[in-house]
């Protein structure tokens, strides 16, 4: 079956075939700015005798530059393969996938998924409270325990790959001058050396992160990708899923999404470690702490790339840049993680 690569290509016949139930009519609701960067996310309202009244349809980004980035990092292929092969094997809640298609070149895809719009959506700028933070840490410990010892293969790639390594090094160097100009008040006193020291350290940090033991990492664990139910969470946006250190998800969430008061309220590495070992995983706490520092330092690249390429004339863009950079810099100083550059 051929598949549409934009909302305009949807038809009742296609939706009926893809969903396996009659659809007589439909209406597409587009989300506002910020709901998707590498992909276009829409809600489709369906008319028919059975099934959910709405679904989520995710298409490639309409921007050629974004599609090129997605192809470089195999982001569309990663997400389609995740829903086809990995999602059924994990304990963490994700949207049910009704249809997943990818073209052979990896530049076009379509996902038709469960609409979880009734759940509460996280917000990285606002942050979250202690209870929500505990729920997220417990959930990712379950994900990592379920996939503990997984190695890269056809379904999930290793985070330490040439495209990731070279992209982070180049992205940091490109974004750093913008960060220095726009967010100078958030940077540490010795920030000048970071412009070359951090990208130079990326190959070594990635090697440490991707040495065994490894597991499946969501790899984009920001609050914006977390949906809260009454007693659980769901994670969306699996375009960065990879095999990596379990601490990658933990460090990204704690050091860049948690407000300072919540970050200081718990020893989050110990909380995570208790949850992980509670699933029967034998793992040394000291090793967990050290890899957490390594991941936190590496993930500064994510903060710099995002803050250095956002539309800074946009109010939320400015707020998001200040939030993730400020959280990251304060966290790294508290962890003495910059000493890993020496």
């Amino acid at each position: 079956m051929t598949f549409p690569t934009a909302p305009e290509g949807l038809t009742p016949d296609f939706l009926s075939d893809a969903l396996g139930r009659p659809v007589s009519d439909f209406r597409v609701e587009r989300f506002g700015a910020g709901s998707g960067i590498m992909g276009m996310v829409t809600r489709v309202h369906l008319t028919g005798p059975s099934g959910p009244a709405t679904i989520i349809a995710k298409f490639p980004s309409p921007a050629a530059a974004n599609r090129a980035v997605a192809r470089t990092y195999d982001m569309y292929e990663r997400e389609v393969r995740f829903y086809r092969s990995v999602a059924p094997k994990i304990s963490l809640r994700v949207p049910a996938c009704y249809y997943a298609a990818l073209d052979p070149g990896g530049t076009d895809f379509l996902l038709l998924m469960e609409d979880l719009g009734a759940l509460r959506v996280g917000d990285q700028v606002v942050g979250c409270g202690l209870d929500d933070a505990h729920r997220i840490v417990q959930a990712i410990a379950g994900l990592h325990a379920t996939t503990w010892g997984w190695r890269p293969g056809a379904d999930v790639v290793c985070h330490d790959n040439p495209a990731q390594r070279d992209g982070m090094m180049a992205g940091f160097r490109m974004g750093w001058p913008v960060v220095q100009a726009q967010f100078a008040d958030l940077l540490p006193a010795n920030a000048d050396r970071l412009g070359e020291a951090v990208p130079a350290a990326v190959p070594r940090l990635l090697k440490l992160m991707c040495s065994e033991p490894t597991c499946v990492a969501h790899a984009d664990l920001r609050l914006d990708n977390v949906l809260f139910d009454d007693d659980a969470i769901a994670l969306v946006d699996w375009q960065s899923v990879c095999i990596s250190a379990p601490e990658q998800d933990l460090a990204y969430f704690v050091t860049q999404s948690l407000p300072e008061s919540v970050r200081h309220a718990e020893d989050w590495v110990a909380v995570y470690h208790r949850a992980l070992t509670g699933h029967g995983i034998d793992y040394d706490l000291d090793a967990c702490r050290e890899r957490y520092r390594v991941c936190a330092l590496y993930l500064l690249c994510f903060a710099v790339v995002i803050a250095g390429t956002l539309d800074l004339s946009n109010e939320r863009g400015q707020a998001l840049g200040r939030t993730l950079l400020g959280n990251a810099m304060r966290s790294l100083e508290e962890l003495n993680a910059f000493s890993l550059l020496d």
Side-chain angles (χ1 to χ4, degrees):
M1 180 188 298
T2 59
F3 60 93
T5 58
E8 294 76 16
L10 292 175
T11 66
D13 286 345
F14 173 82
L15 289 169
S16 297
D17 289 341
L19 298 173
R21 58 186 175 92
V23 176
S24 58
D25 200 4
F26 68 94
R27 174 175 62 86
V28 176
E29 173 190 350
R30 297 176 184 268
F31 291 101
S35 62
I37 298 175
M38 295 305 167
M40 180 195 299
V41 184
T42 65
R43 174 175 285 118
V44 183
H45 298 259
L46 304 171
T47 301
S50 62
T54 61
I55 60 170
I56 296 298
K58 189 170 184 179
F59 302 92
S61 168
N66 292 7
R67 290 164 69 102
V69 171
R71 183 174 184 178
T72 297
Y73 293 101
D74 294 324
M75 298 176 80
Y76 299 155
E77 185 173 1
R78 289 193 201 195
E79 190 163 33
V80 168
R81 285 184 172 177
F82 169 80
Y83 280 107
R84 284 177 175 173
S85 304
V86 180
K89 302 174 184 176
I90 63 175
S91 58
L92 185 67
R93 183 178 180 185
V94 300
C97 184
Y98 307 128
Y99 177 86
L102 177 79
D103 83 316
T107 55
D108 287 320
F109 79 106
L110 173 63
L111 290 171
L112 302 180
M113 298 178 290
E114 177 186 11
D115 185 359
L116 298 179
L119 304 187
R120 174 167 55 91
V121 183
D123 187 325
Q124 190 169 6
V125 173
V126 174
C128 71
L130 190 61
D131 289 345
D132 281 347
H134 271 284
R135 291 161 68 188
I136 292 171
V137 171
Q138 295 287 333
I140 62 172
L143 166 67
H144 299 158
T146 303
T147 60
W148 193 259
W150 280 28
R151 296 179 179 179
D155 296 331
V156 192
V157 301
C158 181
H159 195 60
D160 184 8
N161 64 74
Q164 188 70 37
R165 181 190 64 235
D166 297 346
M168 288 298 97
M169 295 171 70
F172 190 98
R173 291 188 174 111
M174 184 179 300
W176 187 244
V178 178
V179 166
Q180 287 183 300
Q182 298 289 335
F183 304 101
D185 60 306
L186 301 177
L187 305 183
N190 62 347
D192 287 346
R193 71 179 184 125
L194 300 182
E196 281 303 320
V198 172
V202 163
R204 175 169 55 90
L205 297 175
L206 278 173
K207 190 172 293 293
L208 291 169
M209 289 168 58
C210 295
S211 60
E212 295 183 6
T214 55
C215 63
V216 170
H218 179 275
D220 194 15
L221 191 57
R222 304 182 299 109
L223 273 171
D224 293 24
N225 290 329
V226 181
L227 305 178
F228 295 92
D229 206 345
D230 290 338
D231 56 358
I233 70 160
L235 285 186
V236 298
D237 197 349
W238 290 86
Q239 290 182 338
S240 300
V241 64
C242 62
I243 298 294
S244 186
E247 296 84 0
Q248 178 170 348
D249 283 338
L250 179 68
Y252 194 28
F253 170 61
V254 172
T255 66
Q256 296 192 30
S257 282
L258 285 188
E260 193 164 1
S261 60
V262 179
R263 193 169 70 248
H264 292 166
E266 294 277 14
D267 178 348
W268 289 108
V269 176
V271 170
Y272 169 82
H273 185 264
R274 283 195 299 272
L276 183 69
T277 55
H279 288 281
I281 302 299
D282 182 13
Y283 191 44
D284 182 70
L285 176 58
D286 289 337
C288 185
R289 291 192 187 281
E290 188 55 26
R291 281 223 286 185
Y292 177 83
R293 293 174 71 234
V294 169
C295 291
L297 179 59
Y298 164 77
L299 290 164
L300 178 61
C301 294
F302 284 30
V304 168
V305 169
I306 293 172
T309 57
L310 283 170
D311 178 5
L312 297 176
S313 64
N314 176 279
E315 185 176 346
R316 177 170 169 80
Q318 278 280 356
L320 182 59
R322 290 194 65 83
T323 298
L324 58 90
L325 266 176
N327 286 341
M329 289 298 181
R330 289 187 291 270
S331 296
L332 291 172
E333 290 194 286
E334 292 163 5
L335 292 166
N336 192 29
F338 290 123
S339 65
L340 294 170
L341 296 172
D342 298 332

